[in-house]
Amino acid sequence: MKYPKLRVIPTSRQMIDVFGGYNHNLRINENEFFTMKNMTSDFYPVLSPRGGRGVYLDTTKDPVDTDQKINGIIAKDALCYVDGSKFVINKYPVEMELEDSPKQLVSMGAYVIILPDKKYINTMNFEDRGSIEVENVTSDEAQISLVREDGTEYGDIPATDVEPDNPKNGDLWIDTSATPHILRQYSSTSSLMWVTVATTYVRISAPNIGKGINAYDGITITGIKEESLNGSFIVQSAADNYVTVIAIIDEAFSQTEAITVSRKMPEIDYLTECGNRLWGCKYGLTKDGQIVNELYACKLGDFKNWECYMGISTDSWRGSVGSDGMFTGATTHMGYPVFFKENCLHKVYVSSVGAHQVQDTACRGVQQGCERSLAIVNETLYYKARNGIMAYDGALPVSVNYALGEVQYHDAIGVAHGSKYYVSMLDETNTASLFVYDTAKSMWHREDETRLLDFCSCNGELYAISEDRTKIITMTRGEEVVEWSVQTGEIGLSSPDMKFMQRITLRVLLPPGSNLDIFVQYGSESSWTNAFHTKSATLKSFSIPIRPKRCDFMRIRIEGVGESKIYAITKTLRNGSEIS
């Protein structure tokens, strides 16, 4: 008698021992995770939570002033930050009378430039600090006189529109028949003729009129009765009580009306340093009512001078651009200043002779409000565009945003730390997420919902400002006990046949004191079932067997508290037919 043969139900095993990162899309790979919290790629290919964070500074615990706010942060030889009205270097405060508002800090050599206050400080010499702008207004009588290059006065010189009679060798005459007037000197050795004095100087003397002004500064003078002395000039020499400029007057005079001598910095939206110059941009209406769409550069090596035009290569520079819309960010990349709008970028090709050129590129630029997302990781510039995170190598930006899914983020703040790009963003509901992109492995990981307002990588540590601006957090070193979790995508949808999961095995290393929970969600159920829980008392490596119930597809969520490392996940599947 022959018995019917039983059909062997085929089984298969899938082992995952190389774990990918975050992938918030409908269809993801078996080794990727749809959601996660506080995971890292540091131990790749092992699945592991990030290290703990710490607190570098907590202003709420200051016994003197608990109303301090951390308004900016920058890396020099040591960590520097703006704390209320002070600039702090390696926890040493320097009072600078800064306004209590968020700052844009830019490094130039040993100096740090602070916007919007337009102030500076030398981090190697704290006494060298002050305001970039100067405005001196006279309150006492001012003396205006024609002087020689060495500062000595000429004395009385005839000013007429006809030549003086019977001149002697060396006599001076101000020729008023020309506009502007010309100083001439009679020469008996040059065919008995009046020779033009090529350069004439006017000294304006009054208490404190030249305070903070240096030779070859570009200044603006207003309020002088002689109209030709009002306007822009290059200072030839200066001291606290006088300034000398290239000009001419018919005779010395004095006045009690106020005279203003000022050195100004343009209104700037965003600032960057390149080639020993500061470069800035401005779009829109300025305080004096002008509509501008311009790029600026300070004088070479001199961040105090933005209007110094002497016709030489070290001059200040400005140029207009034709693109529409507000500037959204600025940075220096591959030796060039780069200015962004939402739909384009402007790269400045710096010339050693001062003939700087601007190249426009239509592309996905920086999203409005994401100017702090700009960061360079291993020579590639990363930033947040309107439709995702972009990578720019100097040619055209490309998107690296796919793993973040279709969620629309805004107000991104990013930083480079090692080979990673950290970025804190808000989603459509203004919920914060801190993402980390490992550029070496091309993997995204999500940390948590902590909102951070600025970052700084300094001496191997990553620092961040808390959302309430009261703390500076150390992002990679600390005693924090980390709560973490990962959630898979739908398991089992890749096969057309009915099947069920016979067994799931996790290979885990769990240090003492760490917790581990495994939850399972079956099919379209909304609830999660706790399939496993353990708390380790000793350092141990073990396998966790789970036998889920039969279903078409399922999801797994692994949660833990403290350190742990997952080395492998093995799934045993038993297939069925198309109907059972």
Side-chain angles (χ1 to χ4, degrees), residues 183 196-200:
L183 178 63
T196 300
V197 178
T199 307
T200 58

Side-chain angles (χ1 to χ4, degrees), residues 233-528:
F233 297 89
I234 303 298
V235 175
Q236 302 303 303
S237 63
D240 281 358
N241 295 329
Y242 74 87
V243 292
T244 303
V245 298
I246 296 175
I248 188 171
I249 55 175
D250 294 346
E251 60 180 354
F253 64 94
S254 63
Q255 69 173 68
T256 56
E257 295 84 356
I259 298 173
T260 301
V261 175
S262 60
R263 184 186 65 217
K264 296 293 186 181
M265 179 181 183
E267 295 176 38
I268 287 177
D269 294 332
Y270 305 107
L271 193 68
T272 186
E273 187 277 333
C274 181
N276 203 22
R277 294 179 189 261
L278 292 181
W279 300 78
C281 59
K282 175 67 178 178
Y283 176 89
L285 190 66
T286 62
K287 291 180 180 178
D288 58 6
Q290 291 184 326
I291 298 177
V292 298
N293 189 11
E294 292 182 330
L295 307 179
Y296 308 96
C298 72
K299 183 180 177 181
L300 182 66
D302 186 357
F303 56 81
K304 297 178 184 178
N305 273 284
W306 295 80
E307 296 181 348
C308 185
Y309 303 109
M310 301 174 64
I312 57 179
S313 62
T314 60
D315 278 350
S316 309
W317 175 88
R318 68 169 56 192
S320 297
V321 298
S323 61
D324 191 22
M326 299 178 65
F327 286 101
T328 56
T331 191
T332 298
H333 181 237
M334 305 293 283
Y336 302 102
V338 184
F339 299 91
F340 287 90
K341 297 187 176 183
E342 281 203 339
N343 58 355
C344 69
L345 64 85
H346 301 281
K347 179 187 287 187
V348 181
Y349 287 86
V350 182
S351 169
S352 60
V353 297
H356 314 306
Q357 301 292 322
V358 182
Q359 182 189 65
D360 305 338
T361 302
C363 62
R364 290 168 286 182
V366 175
Q367 183 180 1
Q368 184 70 36
C370 298
E371 65 278 357
R372 293 183 185 269
S373 68
L374 289 155
I376 298 174
V377 186
N378 297 337
E379 296 80 47
T380 300
L381 176 64
Y382 292 86
Y383 61 87
K384 173 67 172 67
R386 182 167 288 278
N387 58 348
I389 303 296
M390 309 299 294
Y392 174 64
D393 62 0
L396 285 173
V398 296
S399 175
V400 293
N401 193 79
Y402 174 76
L404 302 185
E406 299 300 320
V407 181
Q408 296 299 311
Y409 294 98
H410 60 92
D411 289 338
I413 299 169
V415 69
H417 183 64
S419 62
K420 294 182 178 180
Y421 175 63
Y422 287 72
V423 58
S424 174
M425 302 185 287
L426 303 177
D427 63 15
E428 299 100 322
T429 63
N430 288 326
T431 300
S433 289
L434 176 61
F435 292 101
V436 183
Y437 181 61
D438 191 325
T439 63
K441 305 177 182 72
S442 299
M443 293 167 50
W444 283 97
H445 284 77
R446 183 179 181 277
E447 292 202 353
D448 57 14
E449 298 80 25
T450 302
R451 177 58 172 168
L452 301 169
L453 298 185
D454 207 352
F455 291 98
C456 174
S457 180
C458 181
N459 297 330
E461 179 57 85
L462 179 62
Y463 299 90
I465 300 176
S466 63
E467 185 174 16
D468 60 2
R469 296 190 178 275
T470 63
K471 299 181 183 67
I472 297 180
I473 302 168
T474 56
M475 298 296 293
T476 61
R477 299 174 191 168
E479 302 300 323
E480 176 193 16
V481 178
V482 178
E483 297 182 7
W484 58 272
S485 66
V486 292
Q487 178 184 318
T488 67
E490 286 79 6
I491 300 172
L493 289 180
S494 59
S495 171
D497 299 325
M498 300 297 289
K499 87 291 294 177
F500 65 95
M501 193 81 63
Q502 277 191 319
R503 185 185 181 94
I504 301 173
T505 305
L506 281 74
R507 185 66 172 163
V508 179
L509 177 65
L510 208 61
S514 296
N515 293 349
L516 183 71
D517 285 271
I518 300 176
F519 296 86
V520 180
Q521 186 182 62
Y522 298 103
S524 58
E525 294 180 359
S526 60
S527 61
W528 291 84

Side-chain angles (χ1 to χ4, degrees), residues 166-185:
N166 303 317
K168 298 177 183 179
N169 186 50
D171 282 357
L172 297 169
W173 162 51
I174 296 177
D175 183 359
T176 61
S177 64
T179 302
H181 298 176
I182 301 172
L183 178 63
R184 300 186 188 276
Q185 187 172 32

